[in-house]
Amino acid sequence: MRSTRNVVNAEIELDLGHYSDPPLLVLASLADGPKHGHAMIEDIANMCGTHLGPGTLYGAITRLEQQGLIKPLPPEERRQPYRITPSGVRALRAKLTTLHKFARSGLRKLEAL
């Protein structure tokens, strides 16, 4: 006979993980000023507990740069800083507004329980 103990424990200790939308996290990190890659990784970890690896981070940076949402600044020694563009600010504001509405709606639904 199979035990269901692990199934029950898995449901009780449900881990939904950390929020992870790398481009959004990069934009949010750059919202308070220019940063290089390592500074973004640390800032994102402090903001939401998500650790982006270098491949994920630089993939997101490449896509955001191609879309004109961030722009590289002159290198500082071996580090390449980036800044958010006005288009990036608009995109970030729109996405965060949507997420805020979603969170408020979800919290209202939970209050009804």
Side-chain angles (χ1 to χ4, degrees):
M1 179 184 279
R2 285 182 6 169
S3 170
T4 60
R5 184 174 60 185
N6 291 337
V7 173
V8 172
N9 287 342
E11 290 176 1
I12 293 170
E13 298 172 14
L14 182 63
D15 180 9
L16 297 176
H18 297 284
Y19 183 77
S20 181
D21 179 355
L24 180 62
L25 296 173
V26 169
L27 289 174
S29 178
L30 295 175
D32 66 350
K35 291 180 187 67
H36 56 79
H38 183 71
M40 282 187 255
I41 288 172
E42 288 182 352
D43 187 45
I44 290 166
N46 289 332
M47 264 193 305
C48 61
T50 297
H51 177 77
L52 295 184
T56 302
L57 175 72
Y58 287 104
I61 286 172
T62 298
R63 288 189 303 278
L64 291 168
E65 192 175 351
Q66 289 171 346
Q67 295 170 351
L69 301 178
I70 66 172
K71 187 171 187 169
L73 296 173
E76 298 172 355
E77 296 179 14
R78 294 179 15 212
R79 295 178 174 164
Q80 176 65 62
Y82 295 87
R83 70 169 176 82
I84 192 169
T85 65
S87 295
V89 170
R90 287 191 297 277
L92 176 61
R93 187 179 313 280
K95 184 68 171 180
L96 292 176
T97 298
T98 298
L99 288 171
H100 182 70
K101 289 177 185 177
F102 173 73
R104 279 195 335 243
S105 176
L107 289 169
R108 274 195 303 271
K109 290 179 179 198
L110 284 173
E111 288 174 0
L113 292 177

